[in-house]
Amino acid sequence: QVQLVESGGGWVQTGDSLRLSCVGSVVPGRNFSDYSVGWFRQAPGKEREFVAGTGFAGVNIYYGDSARGRFTISRDNIKDTVYLQMNTLKVEDTAAYYCAASVALVGGPAIPYKYWGQGTQVTVSS
C-alpha cells in the first residue's frame, strides 16, 4: 500500500503559477522512487485527464497535450516527493488534481495506477 498526499492547490488568476506536491509514504523495505507517478486532473462533468508522469526514479518524463510547454514534473527521491510546476495557468486548467502511483517502471498515461491521493483543487479565474 502507498499513501499519497497532494498539496499546493489554490485560487489564482490567469498567467499565475502554482507548484503542486505529492508526498508518498510506503511500507518498510520499499522506496517511493520504486513507483511511477502520474498527475491527473478532472473538472466537473469532464473525463479524467492525464497531465504529466514520471517513471521509476524519474528516468522517463511524459506530458499530456494540455500540459506540454507549460508544466514540468520532477521528483525528489530523498524527500519522497513528486512536484508539478504549473506556469502560465489558464481558466481551462481549473480542476481537481490527483497524484497516482504505479508499480510499473516506465510511467506515462497507459500504465495501471493503483494508488491515488485525495486531490487538491486548482481554480484559475480571468
Side-chain angles (χ1 to χ4, degrees), residues 30-86:
R30 302 297 301 272
N31 299 301
F32 188 46
S33 60
D34 295 337
Y35 297 83
S36 295
V37 176
W39 284 99
F40 296 80
R41 69 186 185 187
Q42 187 167 20
K46 301 186 68 176
E47 295 291 320
R48 186 174 63 195
E49 176 187 9
F50 174 81
V51 178
T54 180
F56 165 76
V59 296
N60 299 312
I61 301 294
Y62 307 84
Y63 292 105
D65 291 340
S66 63
R68 191 173 294 108
R70 296 188 299 125
F71 296 179
T72 302
I73 187 171
S74 62
R75 67 191 307 169
D76 186 330
N77 294 326
I78 296 176
K79 295 183 177 180
D80 292 338
T81 303
V82 177
Y83 302 98
L84 182 68
Q85 178 68 44
M86 304 187 294

Side-chain angles (χ1 to χ4, degrees), residues 1-4 24-27 29-38 54-59 75 77 82 100-107 111-115:
Q1 185 71 36
V2 180
Q3 295 208 11
L4 305 169
S25 300
V26 299
V27 298
R30 302 297 301 272
N31 299 301
F32 188 46
S33 60
D34 295 337
Y35 297 83
S36 295
V37 176
T54 180
F56 165 76
V59 296
R75 67 191 307 169
N77 294 326
V82 177
S102 171
V103 296
L105 299 179
V106 298
I111 64 173
Y113 289 92
K114 184 177 181 179
Y115 309 101

